[in-house]
Amino acid sequence: MGKTLAEKIWQEHVVRSAAGEPDLVYIDLHLIHEVTSPQAFDGLRLAGRPVRRPDLTIATEDHNTPTQNIDQPIADPVSKLQVDTLRANCAEFGVRIHSLGDIDQGIVHVVGPQLGLTQPGMTIICGDSHTSTHGAFGALAFGVGTSEVEHVLATQTLPLIRPKMMAINVEGELAPGVTSKDVILAIIAKIGTGGGVGYIVEYRGSAIRAMTMESRLTVCNMSIEAGARAGLIAPDETTFDYIKGKPHAPEDWDAAVAYWKTLTTDADAKFDHEVTLMAEDIAPFVTWGTNPAQGAPLSGNVPDPSAIADAEERGAAERALVYMGLEAGTPLKKIAIDTVFLGSCTNGRIEDLRSAAAILDGKKIASSLRMLVVPGSARVRLQAEAEGLDKVFINAGAEWRNAGCSMCLGMNPDQLAVGERSASTSNRNFEGRQGKGGRTHLVSPLVAAATAIRGTLSSPADL
Amino acid sequence: MDKFVTHVGTAVPLRRSNVDTDQIIPAVYLKRVTRSGFEDGLFSAWRNDPAFELNQEKYKAATILVAGIDFGTGSSREHAVWALQNYGFKVIIAPRFGDIFRGNSGKAGLLTIQLSQNDVEALWVAIEAKSDLAITVDLEARTVSYGKSSVGFVIDDYTRWRLMEGLDDIGLTLKQTDSIDAFEKTRPTFKPQTIPAK
Ligand code: SF4
């Protein structure tokens, strides 16, 4: 029987396998940031262990770095200590780091691909659940906790139990105005936050193949929101073209591409589970609740929990509406927004900024709201400035910031106030995620831009 | 890591599903560089509510948390596990867990037990009827027992063995250094390294 793409990558990385034990899996690339690494480095120090492969490890500062006044010391002393700790650890253990102010600083999942370090067929880990992002290149990439960060620092391997395999097929052509963000929100709404638990998901089908690299990154990014361990897409010419010319693109290009071309699921491979969506059924999608599966087409209404058959889901929906301050039956387009956040590792790349800028060009954002535009990396910011996108945002009345995670998780000063409502291009609408008491609606960059102009949740078609 | 063989304690019922790791410990608490002291951030958004289970006097001594389905979804933060441990929890029972959270728990020595929705419901009812109900978790026998009830649970042999022995994963892997060395020799040269290329 044939193998799936993920099975092939897995098999090529097994260092040792023994009956009744997890496989010992080799890790090709380890990405590090300030939040989940200090205790791991501490563990190494206590045990007197070195970093086995500093040359396969790279760090950046992103989660709690400020997006304003970055030339000054970080004002919050606790954040500063954490960032300083990362710098000291990287210096001590010989790990390459891109600090605030450095041209290659940015969100860890934006930095890896833009340096060309993320390549097909690799195993990639990071102490961050959205590591699944890198799967867009046909890599096996997943988030781990701090104990595993320490394990990889010390051994460059992880003992892992192989997950099951799921295929999610998106067939057909997306309608204009429908983005890859809408696709992944629709997938999560269909299979639920637990639908992918225990699986590696391979996204397949003509709608996925037609996507640009950056759109694919958005899809794979949110695999974890369906509970999946990882999500990936088989590499193709789109992938190869994207890597070509990047700083770490292989020198032996032909050998690499020849290998990458073998990285597809065999025709006779079997998935443990398969789900299919038709692209033409997918419309601009927004969330109304407090987990990413609580979403609906923007043209719809806030759902009525009493119509939900499953008792658990009904209770969750009732609680979500209370938290979100929403009435069942309200048209989603009537919901007024206080803050629009464009950024994050889901939608903070150049393509996302371009598409939002195209909507905002020559227009003003509603006076009732503020809009934060936070590029995913310093290079994305520079590229956007070279294209004049910063002017478009600023002239529209938005704030143009420096790179980082920012309001995606509100560890830095960019937070929602209690009761404040956002339309956010990030990936999590959990209670308090963007600030205590804040209410989040997840949206695509196009919906974010249209919402900024109209003041209520909107798609470009409403303008 | 302490060895875990059996644990006897009282439990707190948390009748909520989809308790993600942002609820277990919000991001603002993640700025610390130590592994201890996270108990103050545990479920912080709910701790002001006197009705919240952890605030009720009768559950103050609980060492077992019985939660709804999809506990620990979302962010990979191991701080969620530390916060639960720092607070005093030894065992978490739920119908289903987030994958990363479950893995992190196993590494840090916090036992997660998956029981059916019905078994969890029965436990909730029993605890709500008698808050000082003694619950015995036996990892060797793979059972959760209380009163006259005893429910079996499934856990893979390897994780069970590691928890029972209190073994450090890294130490175990370092015994395989020869295999890792050998594997590295086969790594294709076109694969990238992070040291600046040119
Ligand atoms: S942008 Fe948000 S989701 Fe992405 S790494 Fe940063 S905090 Fe995590």
Side-chain angles (χ1 to χ4, degrees):
Chain A
M1 198 176 70
K3 290 199 178 63
T4 67
L5 167 58
E7 284 168 336
K8 287 184 187 177
I9 302 174
W10 187 282
Q11 198 169 44
E12 286 183 19
H13 289 82
V14 172
V15 171
R16 178 178 177 273
S17 82
E21 285 180 35
D23 287 345
L24 191 63
V25 176
Y26 196 80
I27 304 302
D28 286 320
L29 177 65
H30 185 182
L31 306 158
I32 285 176
H33 61 87
E34 72 274 23
V35 178
T36 54
S37 66
Q39 294 87 354
F41 281 110
D42 229 24
L44 291 186
R45 237 184 323 265
L46 282 173
R49 290 167 178 153
V51 173
R52 180 181 172 94
R53 295 294 302 265
D55 60 330
L56 304 184
T57 311
I58 187 168
T60 181
E61 300 164 2
D62 56 3
H63 278 67
N64 69 33
T65 49
T67 56
Q68 287 176 305
N69 305 321
I70 62 165
D71 49 339
Q72 287 159 35
I74 299 176
D76 171 14
V78 202
S79 294
K80 181 172 185 304
L81 173 66
Q82 203 169 50
V83 169
D84 287 346
T85 304
L86 178 71
R87 292 178 187 175
N89 283 331
C90 287
E92 181 182 338
F93 289 90
V95 172
R96 171 175 169 190
I97 180 170
H98 293 294
S99 289
L100 199 57
D102 179 302
I103 186 163
D104 281 313
Q105 176 268 344
I107 305 173
V108 63
H109 310 308
V110 177
V111 168
Q114 90 184 7
L115 284 171
L117 285 168
T118 302
Q119 295 177 13
M122 293 174 68
T123 47
I124 302 175
I125 67 115
C126 172
D128 186 279
S129 56
H130 293 98
T131 310
S132 58
T133 312
H134 306 262
F137 287 80
L140 193 55
F142 46 89
V144 297
T146 298
S147 295
E148 288 164 299
V149 169
E150 184 180 338
H151 196 285
V152 175
L153 287 172
T155 71
Q156 205 58 34
T157 63
L158 271 183
L160 294 168
I161 294 173
R162 210 193 72 187
K164 292 180 287 183
M165 303 291 154
M166 184 189 302
I168 296 183
N169 309 303
V170 189
E171 299 290 355
E173 218 174 304
L174 293 172
V178 180
T179 69
S180 64
K181 180 65 164 286
D182 304 307
V183 171
I184 188 65
L185 285 173
I187 289 172
I188 298 165
K190 185 178 170 99
I191 71 172
T193 53
V197 171
Y199 288 99
I200 296 172
V201 173
E202 182 179 338
Y203 300 96
R204 300 158 60 85
S206 49
I208 302 287
R209 295 258 72 86
M211 284 180 189
T212 64
M213 207 54 228
E214 302 205 337
S215 295
R216 293 178 188 182
L217 285 159
T218 303
V219 172
C220 289
N221 173 271
M222 289 190 72
S223 306
I224 181 70
E225 307 313 334
R229 199 67 222 270
L232 77 178
I233 296 172
D236 56 14
E237 294 301 327
T238 304
T239 323
F240 310 152
D241 289 349
Y242 193 89
I243 297 170
K244 194 148 204 170
K246 294 278 189 298
H248 287 271
E251 270 176 41
D252 195 352
W253 179 257
D254 294 340
V257 171
Y259 167 62
W260 295 346
K261 285 188 171 162
T262 68
L263 297 171
T264 55
T265 290
D266 295 329
D268 56 343
K270 271 237 167 331
F271 288 94
D272 300 293
H273 189 60
E274 243 180 288
V275 177
T276 299
L277 283 82
M278 299 312 292
E280 49 268 29
D281 297 341
I282 302 174
F285 220 82
V286 301
T287 61
W288 48 264
T290 54
N291 73 53
Q294 291 176 325
L298 176 58
S299 55
N301 299 333
V302 175
D304 182 355
S306 64
I308 300 175
D310 181 84
E312 272 301 322
E313 265 180 57
R314 189 180 334 121
E318 281 164 359
R319 266 200 312 279
L321 292 195
V322 171
Y323 182 85
M324 294 294 289
L326 293 173
E327 294 268 347
T330 310
L332 291 165
K333 287 189 182 173
K334 287 242 160 74
I335 297 174
I337 297 297
D338 306 304
T339 295
V340 173
F341 173 63
L342 177 60
S344 88
C345 60
T346 314
N347 284 126
R349 284 171 289 270
I350 191 69
E351 179 181 293
D352 303 309
L353 301 193
R354 282 180 191 143
S355 67
I359 306 287
L360 284 164
D361 197 6
K363 305 215 169 60
K364 293 277 178 217
I365 65 170
S367 57
S368 55
L369 55 71
R370 64 171 169 157
M371 180 175 188
L372 246 65
V373 185
V374 184
S377 71
R379 281 199 193 272
V380 169
R381 179 182 153 102
L382 288 178
Q383 175 68 27
E385 288 177 355
E387 297 176 20
L389 306 184
D390 57 324
K391 299 277 177 341
V392 172
F393 290 122
I394 292 166
N395 290 341
E399 296 177 43
W400 179 244
R401 296 291 189 87
N402 286 283
C405 296
S406 177
M407 197 182 271
C408 173
L409 90 168
M411 268 186 96
N412 76 349
D414 308 336
Q415 298 182 8
L416 294 181
V418 176
E420 208 181 333
R421 189 181 296 283
S422 78
S424 176
T425 64
S426 56
N427 45 44
R428 285 190 174 140
N429 51 344
F430 298 158
E431 287 182 22
R433 169 81 175 180
Q434 298 190 290
K436 199 170 181 178
R439 296 159 168 167
T440 303
H441 297 273
L442 300 177
V443 299
S444 73
L446 292 179
V447 169
T451 299
I453 295 167
R454 283 175 43 104
T456 54
L457 287 176
S458 307
S459 78
D462 300 318
L463 295 172
Chain B
M1 198 164 99
D2 293 340
K3 294 184 181 184
F4 190 116
V5 182
T6 52
H7 174 74
V8 184
T10 59
V12 49
L14 186 65
R15 283 186 178 266
R16 294 183 196 228
S17 58
N18 261 298
V19 176
D20 54 74
T21 52
D22 272 75
Q23 307 314 314
I24 300 174
I25 188 150
V28 289
Y29 290 93
L30 308 190
K31 297 181 183 178
R32 298 189 184 133
V33 293
T34 59
R35 261 183 206 248
S36 55
F38 289 98
E39 65 275 15
D40 58 347
L42 181 66
F43 300 125
S44 82
W46 302 331
R47 290 281 278 282
N48 297 330
D49 172 7
F52 177 56
E53 289 80 352
L54 261 62
N55 292 335
Q56 298 178 30
E57 201 50 49
K58 57 182 179 185
Y59 296 131
K60 281 268 149 75
T63 53
I64 301 170
L65 180 70
V66 186
I69 194 163
D70 289 329
F71 186 84
T73 53
S75 155
S76 64
R77 57 189 69 166
E78 196 161 322
H79 313 67
V81 175
W82 302 335
L84 288 160
Q85 288 182 315
N86 293 164
Y87 183 88
F89 287 115
K90 307 277 187 227
V91 181
I92 316 292
I93 298 174
R96 189 167 60 202
F97 292 93
D99 267 345
I100 302 179
F101 173 81
R102 198 155 196 216
N104 289 343
S105 299
K107 309 272 171 204
L110 177 69
L111 178 60
T112 54
I113 298 178
Q114 200 164 308
L115 294 184
S116 71
Q117 185 76 46
N118 286 343
D119 288 336
V120 166
E121 184 63 44
L123 249 177
W124 278 337
V125 171
I127 304 161
E128 282 158 0
K130 189 175 180 320
S131 61
D132 62 349
L133 178 72
I135 298 174
T136 304
V137 175
D138 187 335
L139 183 55
E140 177 138 47
R142 305 178 213 232
T143 53
V144 176
S145 319
Y146 56 98
K148 292 199 173 67
S149 310
S150 181
V151 206
F153 63 87
V154 179
I155 183 169
D156 68 276
D157 291 337
Y158 183 77
T159 307
R160 173 170 164 270
W161 167 73
R162 263 197 337 87
L163 287 169
M164 287 180 61
E165 298 292 325
L167 284 173
D168 164 13
D169 242 359
I170 297 178
L172 283 175
T173 299
L174 285 173
K175 291 194 188 142
Q176 307 301 331
T177 301
D178 289 350
S179 310
I180 303 172
D181 291 344
F183 182 89
E184 278 179 336
K185 296 213 176 75
T186 69
R187 193 172 186 270
T189 50
F190 55 72
K191 286 207 176 172
Q193 299 189 345
T194 56
I195 36 179
K198 287 128 212 154

